[in-house]
Amino acid sequence: MNDIHDHLMSLLDKQLHYLDERSEMLMDKATAAMETGDIDLAKRVLIEQERVNSRLVEIKHRYKNYCKSKLAMNKFMRFIFIYIAITVCLAFGASACAIESEVNGETEKEKSSRLEGKVIKVADGDTFTVQIGAKKEKVRLLLVDSPESVDPDIPDPEPFSLEASEFTKKKLLGKNVQLELGEVQRDKYDRLLAYCYLNGEMFNKQLLSAGLAEVAYIIPPNTKYLDELEEAEDKAKKQRLGIWAGK
């Protein structure tokens, strides 16, 4: 079953990358046409880009559903494993307190392993640059996707893209943050994949709570806080905040 899921997710992942790159290419072509005054060409290219973006949204939705189904299966297997492990431990005299202590110890270990740095540049709602020691690292927030096309010179930016970018700038720019990296720590663009914390609060969740991003790119094993983030997204949907205002 896992092999089938992995194969389908691999196919969808390839389609996502292809459509994403094609959308960017069409936007560049439309921008060039606008700069040269060829309005008719720019309009035709933007219509084609809109079709590509619609397909991209559809593939993202399917990808998200496949990831969720695989995650549910993994959670079930993990529950069975933990249940058996606890049963065996108790049978041999291990106390529940000792198990709880070990779990809490791991949590503290994870907190101490977070990277610390200062946000020096914000690209858009879910992407920014952090100065970590002497090194500058681009960071992509895990499990969230804010609207793209934040450059004012690009025609027809996505709704709430500028708001998402300004929200992130206001909250993070110039601030010291902590980064909890995913199990897979970098994407194909060599950006760090992370949950960002400011004053102890997860910024990924704040974006979702404000309605300026949606839960996306659910790619195991980087799904640690999926339930928590989906809950924040659901609340924003019910309140029709940001991107959910007209839905």
Side-chain angles (χ1 to χ4, degrees):
M1 183 66 72
N2 274 335
D3 290 341
I4 295 175
H5 272 285
D6 290 342
H7 180 64
L8 289 173
M9 288 170 63
S10 176
L11 291 176
L12 290 174
D13 188 51
K14 289 178 181 178
Q15 290 184 57
L16 278 175
H17 287 315
Y18 168 75
L19 291 171
D20 196 34
E21 290 174 358
R22 179 158 178 75
S23 179
E24 290 183 10
M25 181 271 290
L26 288 170
M27 180 56 75
D28 291 340
K29 188 174 180 180
T31 303
M34 291 285 287
E35 291 174 349
T36 59
D38 195 340
I39 304 301
D40 288 338
L41 176 60
K43 287 181 178 179
R44 292 197 300 272
V45 173
L46 287 174
I47 290 172
E48 173 62 20
Q49 193 212 21
E50 186 176 347
R51 284 197 288 263
V52 171
N53 285 343
S54 295
R55 179 63 175 161
L56 190 58
V57 170
E58 178 188 342
I59 296 299
K60 279 184 178 180
H61 180 70
R62 291 175 61 189
Y63 190 89
K64 184 176 179 179
N65 287 339
Y66 277 121
C67 288
K68 279 186 175 181
S69 63
K70 182 175 182 180
L71 185 62
M73 183 183 301
N74 289 342
K75 281 185 176 180
F76 176 74
M77 295 305 296
R78 185 183 177 192
F79 169 78
I80 295 297
F81 174 79
I82 292 174
Y83 176 80
I84 293 174
I86 291 176
T87 302
V88 171
C89 287
L90 292 176
F92 283 91
S95 70
C97 292
I99 297 172
E100 182 180 356
S101 175
E102 183 178 343
V103 171
N104 290 336
E106 180 64 24
T107 300
E108 293 302 319
K109 181 180 178 182
E110 288 173 357
K111 287 182 179 179
S112 66
S113 67
R114 292 175 185 171
L115 300 178
E116 295 189 6
K118 183 176 183 179
V119 178
I120 59 174
K121 181 181 178 181
V122 172
D124 57 25
D126 54 36
T127 309
F128 48 86
T129 302
V130 176
Q131 184 81 41
I132 303 175
K135 191 174 183 180
K136 295 177 182 179
E137 291 277 10
K138 287 186 177 180
V139 177
R140 177 63 167 83
L141 294 177
L142 278 168
L143 294 177
V144 300
D145 186 29
S146 63
E148 304 294 339
S149 303
V150 298
D151 189 340
D153 296 328
I154 296 178
D156 300 323
E158 291 182 4
F160 290 96
S161 59
L162 298 178
E163 289 86 346
S165 179
E166 286 303 313
F167 182 84
T168 300
K169 286 179 182 177
K170 183 177 179 180
K171 290 282 189 178
L172 299 185
L173 191 58
K175 305 289 180 61
N176 292 318
V177 298
Q178 292 182 317
L179 302 174
E180 180 182 342
L181 303 184
E183 291 189 44
V184 176
Q185 297 186 352
R186 292 184 184 272
D187 63 9
K188 65 175 184 176
Y189 304 109
D190 200 38
R191 299 177 298 188
L192 289 177
L193 299 173
Y195 304 99
C196 176
Y197 293 86
L198 176 67
N199 299 325
E201 295 185 10
M202 188 196 299
F203 183 70
N204 309 52
K205 185 176 178 179
Q206 291 181 31
L207 260 182
L208 292 166
S209 297
L212 296 175
E214 64 178 326
V215 173
Y217 302 108
I218 306 171
I219 307 174
N222 288 352
T223 54
K224 182 176 179 180
Y225 300 109
L226 179 59
D227 291 343
E228 181 179 345
L229 295 178
E230 285 189 324
E231 183 179 343
E233 180 188 53
D234 287 341
K235 289 181 180 179
K237 283 182 179 179
K238 290 176 181 178
Q239 296 176 38
R240 299 194 174 183
L241 299 176
I243 61 176
W244 311 113
K247 298 181 181 180

